[in-house]
Amino acid sequence: MTVSRARKIQKFLSQPFFVGEVFTGLPGIYVPVAETVEAFEALNSGELDHVPEQAFFNVGGVESVLEKSKSLTES
């Protein structure tokens, strides 16, 4: 469980940055620090254990994670 959460945190911290747009082709997303910290706490406490790891990669806040999760499970 610890490794799974750590991998999700690693992926979550890959939020698309504005300076990286040139390299990734993804638009940057502004996520306030407080929102990132809340999401990190939710990840660490297990509130997002049901969400697949792929949903955490290159997204903004928790809302984006949950939206991506829905699209992953629908396809």
Side-chain angles (χ1 to χ4, degrees):
M1 189 57 64
T2 302
V3 172
S4 174
R5 288 180 187 165
R7 289 173 57 91
K8 289 178 182 182
I9 289 169
Q10 178 185 22
K11 299 251 188 283
F12 180 69
L13 293 177
S14 70
Q15 296 168 339
F17 297 106
F18 291 103
V19 295
E21 287 182 30
V22 177
F23 306 106
T24 64
L26 299 170
I29 299 173
Y30 174 74
V31 182
V33 173
E35 187 177 328
T36 302
V37 170
E38 287 176 16
F40 178 82
E41 289 174 351
L43 270 163
N44 203 30
S45 68
E47 293 176 37
L48 300 172
D49 284 350
H50 65 284
V51 179
E53 183 179 323
Q54 300 84 2
F56 291 89
F57 189 62
N58 281 331
V59 293
V62 173
E63 296 83 22
S64 301
V65 170
L66 296 175
E67 285 177 27
K68 189 171 180 180
S69 173
K70 286 180 191 174
S71 69
L72 289 171
T73 55
E74 289 174 357
S75 35

